[in-house]
Amino acid sequence: FHSLGPPPATAPAVPYGSPQHVPGTYQGAGNYAFQAQPMGFPGGPAVPPVQNQPIMQEGTIWMPIPPSIPNCPPGLEYLTQIDQILIHQEIELLEILTGFETNNKYELKNALGQRVYFAAEDTDCLTRNCCGPSRPFSIRILDNLGRVVITLERPLRCSSCCCPCCLQEVEVQAPPGTTVGYVVQNWHACLPKFTIQDDKRTDILKISGPCIVCSCCEDVNFEVKSLDETCTVGRISKHWSGFVKEAFTDTDNFGITFPMDLDVKMKAVMIGACFLIDFMFFEHGGDRNQRTGVW
């Protein structure tokens, strides 16, 4: 950070950058620090917008706050500057020790390791432990001011491949209450297939996974393709996390790549697709054998 130099004689003798309260923050994220928006001197001269600088809180560096962009949903400006997102699910000690299913929490980072978003599941205890990974969920994705910028809504649907009339789906809202797209599972006898749709249910992209979703010592890739599936435009990858973590926890690491110039709304929908894939294929406690290759 560059020093701003001594303040003018007319400036009040108060510390610069006093944090202001951020209204409407989501409380379900727990005790996680979010970057406060600093205020300048009341009535004083203009100063550089230091809120655009990354800060260190609890060992985490945030991605710098981008400027507002016309016609871009608030909070999605970050996605205009990146072509890759890394998603790290946090380890829940209570879940490891007791097997009691807790709300999932995730960090979303850019390729430099700077946190872009924080995601927290908001599902009641009965639903989590009775429905397991097939449960309906709401996942709220927060920016570095603690504002909910994306909401993922998954309804309760049959998870059997023998029921093609009632397949999995996630609705993506950005901001909450405004639908920007859907992730819809497509029936296939042996391959995991999905369609990314816009807010009008128009098909935009296709997602195709491997026949055997096994993460034994290697990544599992779901290719994001054009509608005719002749051109690959991105990828959702389940990263191998090591034998111990894969065998004894259901915490997962994912990577999402997409074109830099892809519509930010479709980038948000791809994030929703990643969470749906996680719940469908990698959250099953009984799938730990499949995940590690040990039976």
Side-chain angles (χ1 to χ4, degrees):
F1 297 97
H2 299 288
S3 173
L4 297 178
T10 57
V14 295
Y16 177 74
S18 301
Q20 67 181 20
H21 174 67
V22 181
T25 55
Y26 173 57
Q27 302 299 319
N31 297 322
Y32 289 88
F34 293 98
Q35 178 176 342
Q37 177 110 15
M39 297 188 299
F41 294 118
V47 293
V50 298
Q51 67 266 26
N52 284 345
Q53 301 293 333
I55 65 171
M56 180 77 74
Q57 290 187 346
E58 294 188 359
T60 299
I61 299 178
W62 286 94
M63 180 177 173
I65 303 174
S68 298
I69 300 176
N71 302 320
C72 178
L76 299 193
E77 297 90 351
Y78 297 91
L79 299 180
T80 65
Q81 302 183 358
I82 57 178
D83 59 2
Q84 181 180 17
I85 289 182
L86 305 176
I87 300 179
H88 305 289
Q89 184 177 351
E90 298 190 348
I91 297 176
E92 298 291 340
L93 184 59
L94 176 64
E95 189 171 321
I96 296 174
L97 296 177
T98 66
F100 187 84
E101 186 70 31
T102 59
N103 276 320
N104 291 343
K105 298 181 180 68
Y106 307 83
E107 279 191 305
L108 285 72
K109 299 181 179 182
N110 61 17
L112 299 177
Q114 299 169 331
R115 186 192 287 179
V116 184
Y117 298 116
F118 176 83
E121 181 187 359
D122 185 14
T123 308
D124 64 83
C125 176
L126 182 64
T127 300
R128 290 197 310 270
N129 289 278
C130 290
C131 299
S134 299
R135 62 186 179 267
F137 62 65
S138 294
I139 293 179
R140 293 176 171 85
I141 301 177
L142 298 79
D143 67 1
N144 60 6
L145 295 178
R147 303 174 302 181
V148 181
V149 297
I150 303 173
T151 300
L152 310 178
E153 299 286 347
R154 178 198 190 188
L156 181 62
R157 296 285 179 86
C158 177
S159 59
S160 173
C161 63
C162 298
C163 298
C165 59
C166 193
L167 299 173
Q168 298 296 312
E169 179 178 299
V170 163
E171 178 184 354
V172 181
Q173 302 174 4
T178 302
T179 301
V180 295
Y182 300 86
V183 183
V184 180
Q185 181 188 10
N186 305 130
W187 186 87
H188 193 278
C190 59
L191 293 177
K193 284 186 171 290
F194 304 87
T195 298
I196 289 178
Q197 301 176 333
D198 64 12
D199 59 319
K200 297 180 177 59
R201 294 279 187 176
T202 303
D203 294 351
I204 303 297
L205 296 169
K206 295 286 187 178
I207 301 176
S208 180
C211 180
I212 300 177
V213 184
C214 176
S215 59
C216 181
C217 302
E218 61 182 11
D219 295 349
V220 180
N221 297 319
F222 293 76
E223 305 294 338
V224 182
K225 301 183 178 183
S226 57
L227 283 181
D228 58 7
E229 301 191 40
T230 60
C231 177
T232 299
V233 299
R235 175 178 292 173
I236 299 173
S237 299
K238 162 64 173 67
H239 294 161
W240 170 254
S241 303
F243 178 83
V244 173
K245 188 173 181 180
E246 296 281 345
F248 298 104
T249 75
D250 60 0
T251 56
D252 299 306
N253 295 326
F254 286 86
I256 306 175
T257 58
F258 36 63
M260 184 74 77
D261 59 353
L262 182 67
D263 184 350
V264 292
K265 297 179 181 179
M266 294 302 101
K267 291 183 180 181
V269 179
M270 284 183 63
I271 294 175
C274 181
F275 283 108
L276 179 59
I277 288 170
D278 180 28
F279 274 78
M280 288 183 63
F281 301 106
F282 303 105
E283 278 288 310
H284 296 71
D287 279 355
R288 291 174 187 171
N289 291 332
Q290 179 190 14
R291 292 147 59 94
T292 61
V294 178
W295 296 88

